[in-house]
């Protein structure tokens, strides 16, 4: 994980990534975002909205709505294109 993102120092993750293998796999600090002990019902979790908002933006791209790609490299390429489209849209709104 260091090679593609050398600037990344901290990552926010769901409770599914709370295992020791994730913490040992990378030198990036993984902060687990989960429910408070004893919480009942819905409550907004800190930093969780960033991930959900990003998934919503990428969900606008029809190609990413289903898993159509035969190889991982083509899936990464289309995800990169979708991210570029989101960034261009955001830049165009500020002009």
């Amino acid at each position: 994980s260091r090679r593609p993102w050398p600037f990344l120092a901290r990552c926010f993750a769901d409770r599914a990534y709370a295992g020791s293998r994730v913490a040992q796999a990378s030198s990036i600090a993984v902060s687990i975002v989960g429910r408070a002990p004893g919480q009942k019902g819905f409550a907004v979790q800190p930093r969780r909205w960033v991930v959900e908002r990003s998934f919503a933006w990428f969900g606008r791209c029809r190609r990413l709505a289903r898993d159509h790609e035969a190889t991982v490299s083509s899936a990464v390429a289309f995800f990169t294109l979708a991210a570029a489209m989101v960034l261009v849209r955001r830049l165009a709104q500020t002009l």
Side-chain angles (χ1 to χ4, degrees):
S1 60
R2 267 294 167 215
R3 192 175 307 146
W5 302 288
F7 54 87
L8 194 62
R10 179 180 229 171
C11 175
F12 294 97
D14 198 354
R15 289 181 301 172
Y17 299 98
S20 61
R21 291 181 66 188
V22 173
Q24 295 171 357
S26 175
S27 60
I28 297 172
V30 179
S31 298
I32 305 300
V33 178
R35 292 184 183 184
Q39 174 187 337
K40 293 184 180 179
F42 176 77
V44 177
Q45 303 299 324
R47 306 302 291 176
R48 182 71 181 254
W49 64 274
V50 175
V51 175
E52 298 299 332
R53 176 198 63 192
S54 300
F55 285 157
W57 286 342
F58 296 134
R60 293 179 185 169
C61 299
R62 287 180 41 200
R63 182 100 185 202
L64 298 177
R66 300 276 186 258
D67 191 18
H68 293 294
E69 307 309 319
T71 63
V72 174
S73 62
S74 64
V76 169
F78 281 110
F79 184 78
T80 305
L81 287 173
M85 286 173 38
V86 168
L87 289 174
V88 167
R89 282 186 200 134
R90 292 190 69 198
L91 286 173
Q93 288 176 354
T94 61
L95 296 178

